[in-house]
Amino acid sequence: MIGHIITIAWKELLHLRKDRFLIPVFVIGGILELSLIAWATGQPIDNIPMAVVDLDQSPQSEALIDALDASDTLTHKQTVSSVDKVYDLMQRNDAVLGVVIPEGYGAAVTAGERPSVRLISNGAEAVQATEAERTAQDIIFRQGMRDAYHMEPADYESELPKVTVKYNEDLKRGWYTLPAESGFIFYIFTVILASLAISRERERGTYEQLLVMPYRSIEVILGKALAPMLVGTSLFLAMMGLTVFAFGVPFRGSFILLLVIALLYLMAEMNKGVLMSIGSRTQLQAMLLVFVLAIVDMIFSGYAVAVDTMPPAIRTLSNFVPIRHWLIIVRGVMLKDVGLSVLWPHVAAILAIGVVYATITASQYRRHTD
Amino acid sequence: MSDYAIHVEHLTRKFGDFTAVNAIDFSVETGEVFGFLGPNGSGKTTTIRMLLGLLKPTDGTAHVLGTDIRHATRQFLAQVGYMSQKFSLYSDLTVANNLRFFGRSYGLYGQRLQQRMEFVIELAGLGDFRHTPIHELSGGWLQRLALGAAIIHEPKLIFLDEPTAGVDPVSRRDFWELLYTLSQSGTTILVTTHYMDEAEHCERVGFIYNGDMIAVGTPSEIIEQVVPGQVIEVHPPDALAAQQKLTSAMRSGELAAHGVNLFGAAVHVLTTDVASTQAYLREVYGATYQSMPTLEDAFIALVQQADHANGGSPVPA
């Protein structure tokens, strides 16, 4: 039994070693991808272009515009004469936020009022627009308190809600994206390798030979799974190393716990890969299946769209996607320092999905010989 | 039944409406070289795949090494070897690594594995190439290596599916030498081929045609039964025209023959009345050559009979 599994795994590793393309692409591609993401998401969202329609043209309105421009988030790009011109700029993507200061703004402020300022935001750039709006509202509020009520921040801040950000104290995007992206990278490469394991034999005509050898189905499947597991585990360690040591995402929980769960997670994903491999006649077919399923995974993972905001049916379905659980686990362990007492439902889900895939795979292995 | 390495009764396999193998019966004795003959698409590979347990029969039974093939176990698979029509070795791996994989798959380790690997490397004549990736080797060597890999575990029975297809004549002859050596050491061999010259080397042969087993026996038995008498060969300037002319002469009774076949530029006339046929042919075409009928003659006659019985359906390509 063990000897047979090792024999298959040994052969698979030989194939990988002879392949001068796959592993270099995985290693270099994986590192490059993660570095790009780190670089792209490491910066805060700032310098959002803002257009201003100043119908008042008073010292007070100019003070407000300066205050907005002084923030890191917003940059005063242009002053235009009408709201229509703001729309024009938005269509050409030259503005994400429009600020319309009404006539009589200066006079109202002088009279001790806080007149309404109109904000127009470009919803097509949803992420930037939300950020710009939030910042502008805050600045307009503070400006009003200062100019209309002559209050300093210390005078009114005690009345504002107190915000404490836990786990990602500075709301760094990298802390959110990097653990997730490294999860995607090491899982997708593992699934690709696994999906090639049997389709390669099919394509080259060696599959029948394998089928007439005195192997148990489970021995072939486990043997075929071992090589992708080794590669996947190495990639996991490399990606985690980069995320923590090169890109500064904290690792607050137990590394051993995450490693053990990572192995379970990889096993589930890899069984899926082997199953796709059995269902395909060629390596190309297997790869296409991997990509189609990767897109589904991406959507259900909760990475791009929060699972809690999805309709109930989709939310239920997303429970069958291992990466959804993995993302919760990896954030839980790395950022929140939580353990099995909190994460066990997700670990159990991953384990169950893996067992289901393995069972289907084992039952399908011999059937597909025609 | 215990003397039979393979015993097949009414074995049938349908794919939808198409009957690939139609209720065939045959047996292969232990230690025999059995030639399984027939044109491409006649059901040879389907039969072999059933005998290996890769495909479930639609009907009928088959026992291979005493095992009912519907319940092919790992113990059974460990006793048979299979060299498939497709390339069965891993082209990116070296000779030694391929053999190591085959050996370990059949439970050979350590010294025993080394011995068997060396045996196969010697058999295939690849002593200097043990660390060469397979894809750098040429046809004849690959064929011998594939055979060697299929017998590395000393199976009692080996299935060879068109092992010499696309191999040059010298390599083919060497290959058959190897088969005899194996057979002499007690291994049962079932080999498919469409080279009739090779088939004559088999102890017994079975002809399969459009899924039907149309003849089983020793080559001489089949020739005796199907094409009795002798072959008179003539070399007319236009062989096709001569064949047509002689066929009508045979049908009219003018020529005392029971078969007129085209063999390249020659025409073979099958007859039991050698003297009168020879006289007739000499008169028309001059020189004649006399020979014994071959399996190819028998095969052509069998196919014609089968087609005739089926209302003259053409031979599939």
Side-chain angles (χ1 to χ4, degrees):
Chain A
M1 178 91 180
I2 298 294
H4 265 165
I5 295 170
I6 289 171
T7 299
I8 297 264
W10 166 78
K11 179 184 85 73
E12 293 299 307
L13 285 174
L14 280 182
H15 287 312
L16 284 185
R17 213 185 60 186
K18 297 278 171 186
D19 197 314
R20 298 193 188 283
F21 183 74
L22 225 46
I23 295 300
V25 164
F26 282 10
V27 172
I28 297 169
I31 290 172
L32 217 63
E33 222 175 299
L34 200 66
S35 308
L36 273 175
I37 291 160
W39 185 41
T41 61
Q43 318 300 322
I45 302 173
D46 55 13
N47 293 323
I48 300 171
M50 169 182 74
V52 177
V53 183
D54 187 357
L55 298 173
D56 194 44
Q57 310 237 343
S58 59
Q60 286 82 358
S61 69
E62 266 159 39
L64 176 62
I65 295 164
D66 287 348
L68 289 166
D69 189 36
S71 75
D72 290 336
T73 312
L74 298 169
T75 302
H76 179 202
K77 267 278 165 74
Q78 290 185 61
T79 301
V80 290
S81 55
S82 70
V83 171
D84 284 342
K85 296 254 166 63
V86 173
Y87 295 152
D88 265 7
L89 289 173
M90 284 183 175
Q91 280 174 0
R92 279 181 269 125
N93 248 8
D94 286 335
V96 170
L97 189 76
V99 180
V100 184
I101 303 174
E103 222 183 309
Y105 173 85
V109 168
T110 314
E113 291 167 29
R114 287 201 294 141
S116 174
V117 172
R118 185 173 168 208
L119 297 179
I120 304 161
S121 73
N122 179 357
E125 302 291 332
V127 176
Q128 283 191 322
T130 314
E131 186 70 20
E133 218 181 286
R134 200 178 59 77
T135 308
Q137 277 177 14
D138 186 53
I139 291 170
I140 290 165
F141 170 76
R142 286 167 191 276
Q143 196 70 12
M145 296 307 263
R146 201 191 71 177
D147 291 352
Y149 301 164
H150 307 288
M151 289 170 87
E152 290 305 312
D155 300 330
Y156 57 83
E157 244 162 26
S158 60
E159 287 161 35
L160 295 179
K162 282 184 189 57
V163 178
T164 312
V165 180
K166 286 278 281 175
Y167 312 125
N168 183 357
E169 291 75 3
D170 297 328
L171 285 173
K172 285 188 180 155
R173 274 191 301 159
W175 289 20
Y176 174 79
T177 51
L178 289 173
E181 286 291 346
S182 49
F184 273 113
I185 291 170
F186 80 82
Y187 122 81
I188 200 106
F189 287 154
T190 307
V191 177
I192 287 174
L193 273 191
S195 78
L196 297 183
I198 286 173
S199 57
R200 189 200 296 117
E201 305 245 3
R202 269 232 179 121
E203 194 173 307
R204 296 187 185 171
T206 50
Y207 188 54
E208 282 209 330
Q209 195 69 50
L210 198 62
L211 285 177
V212 299
M213 286 176 168
Y215 281 111
R216 292 187 183 93
S217 306
I218 193 73
E219 292 169 342
V220 175
I221 290 164
L222 288 180
K224 291 258 174 198
L226 218 54
M229 278 296 281
L230 276 176
V231 175
T233 310
S234 316
L235 276 171
F236 165 73
L237 293 173
M239 294 292 137
M240 274 297 143
L242 275 178
T243 305
V244 174
F245 296 113
F247 306 129
V249 180
F251 200 111
R252 291 167 177 159
S254 156
F255 178 71
I256 300 294
L257 174 69
L258 192 66
L259 180 65
V260 171
I261 302 174
L263 290 177
L264 293 177
Y265 166 59
L266 273 180
M267 218 137 29
E269 293 290 9
M270 201 199 38
N271 283 331
K272 189 165 79 183
V274 175
L275 182 60
M276 285 187 267
S277 195
I278 288 177
S280 313
R281 279 177 186 281
T282 62
Q283 300 187 68
L284 185 63
Q285 280 183 4
M287 289 286 271
L288 285 175
L289 272 177
V290 169
F291 279 113
V292 169
L293 273 167
I295 292 166
V296 175
D297 277 3
M298 190 73 156
I299 293 165
F300 285 146
S301 67
Y303 174 59
V305 183
V307 174
D308 291 330
T309 66
M310 294 178 185
I314 302 283
R315 213 162 29 196
T316 311
L317 268 180
S318 75
N319 282 318
F320 297 96
V321 175
I323 189 152
R324 156 162 156 65
H325 302 288
W326 171 252
L327 292 189
I328 292 170
I329 291 165
V330 78
R331 279 188 202 122
V333 174
M334 284 184 78
L335 301 181
K336 299 185 197 161
D337 187 16
V338 292
L340 270 184
S341 58
V342 172
L343 297 173
W344 69 267
H346 299 290
V347 178
I350 282 177
L351 203 62
I353 295 166
V355 168
V356 168
Y357 276 130
T359 313
I360 302 173
T361 306
S363 71
Q364 291 298 310
Y365 165 65
R366 252 184 204 280
R367 285 200 202 146
H368 288 265
T369 61
D370 306 305
Chain B
M1 199 163 94
S2 56
D3 266 5
Y4 292 128
I6 303 175
H7 187 72
V8 172
E9 283 174 359
H10 268 74
L11 196 65
T12 303
R13 173 71 203 203
K14 292 183 179 160
F15 295 103
D17 287 339
F18 173 67
T19 306
V21 174
N22 185 15
I24 63 171
D25 297 284
F26 73 97
S27 299
V28 177
E29 281 170 34
T30 303
E32 197 172 44
V33 180
F34 186 86
F36 198 29
L37 317 177
N40 293 333
S42 54
K44 299 187 300 260
T45 303
T46 305
T47 306
I48 289 188
R49 297 185 63 214
M50 283 193 280
L51 296 181
L52 282 163
L54 289 176
L55 208 57
K56 295 265 181 249
T58 312
D59 198 15
T61 59
H63 285 83
V64 179
L65 300 175
T67 302
D68 185 332
I69 48 122
R70 280 169 300 191
H71 312 290
T73 58
R74 289 183 305 124
Q75 285 74 13
F76 162 73
L77 289 176
Q79 293 175 37
V80 300
Y82 174 44
M83 179 176 162
S84 74
Q85 211 171 353
K86 292 179 208 148
F87 192 62
S88 56
L89 302 166
Y90 297 95
S91 56
D92 52 333
L93 306 188
T94 62
V95 170
N97 280 339
N98 265 286
L99 292 177
R100 194 165 285 127
F101 173 67
F102 271 73
R104 283 185 187 162
S105 297
Y106 287 98
L108 302 180
Y109 288 95
Q111 217 180 350
R112 181 91 192 104
L113 177 63
Q114 283 306 322
Q115 273 173 12
R116 290 300 297 168
M117 280 174 62
E118 283 312 309
F119 169 79
V120 172
I121 285 169
E122 204 178 311
L123 177 103
L126 285 167
D128 296 333
F129 298 98
R130 63 192 77 207
H131 301 302
T132 306
I134 299 278
H135 63 81
E136 291 176 19
L137 300 176
S138 62
W141 271 342
L142 283 177
Q143 227 70 17
R144 287 200 295 271
L145 185 63
L147 174 69
I151 60 164
I152 198 163
H153 57 300
E154 298 178 273
K156 291 182 182 164
L157 167 66
I158 51 176
F159 292 94
L160 307 168
D161 196 1
E162 301 202 356
T164 55
V167 175
D168 67 86
V170 177
S171 299
R172 272 170 56 196
R173 210 181 54 197
D174 291 351
F175 189 86
W176 276 86
E177 294 286 330
L178 281 178
L179 291 190
Y180 291 134
T181 316
L182 277 175
S183 167
Q184 266 151 27
S185 62
T187 312
T188 309
I189 298 171
L190 185 142
V191 55
T192 78
T193 179
H194 45 227
Y195 293 116
M196 291 299 151
D197 57 327
E198 288 184 354
E200 305 217 4
H201 300 307
C202 298
E203 282 161 84
R204 288 195 316 129
V205 296
F207 276 121
I208 189 166
Y209 183 64
N210 285 344
D212 293 314
M213 194 67 114
I214 55 179
V216 186
T218 65
S220 53
E221 271 170 16
I222 290 180
I223 293 167
E224 187 65 31
Q225 244 169 47
V226 181
V227 282
Q230 299 215 348
V231 172
I232 317 284
E233 185 177 320
V234 290
H235 294 263
D238 183 349
L240 191 63
Q243 190 232 359
Q244 284 161 357
K245 192 175 154 215
L246 289 171
T247 305
S248 46
M250 174 180 77
R251 297 220 169 110
S252 69
E254 195 183 325
L255 174 65
H258 56 264
V260 177
N261 300 319
L262 204 56
F263 263 73
V267 176
H268 283 190
V269 179
L270 296 160
T271 181
T272 42
D273 189 351
V274 177
S276 80
T277 306
Q278 210 160 28
Y280 180 90
L281 291 173
R282 272 217 185 104
E283 204 169 297
V284 189
Y285 301 108
T288 61
Y289 306 88
Q290 195 177 331
S291 64
M292 295 303 289
T294 61
L295 258 187
E296 190 153 357
D297 294 306
F299 185 54
I300 290 170
L302 282 165
V303 166
Q304 283 168 351
Q305 283 169 20
D307 284 345
H308 187 68
N310 278 331
S313 68
V315 181

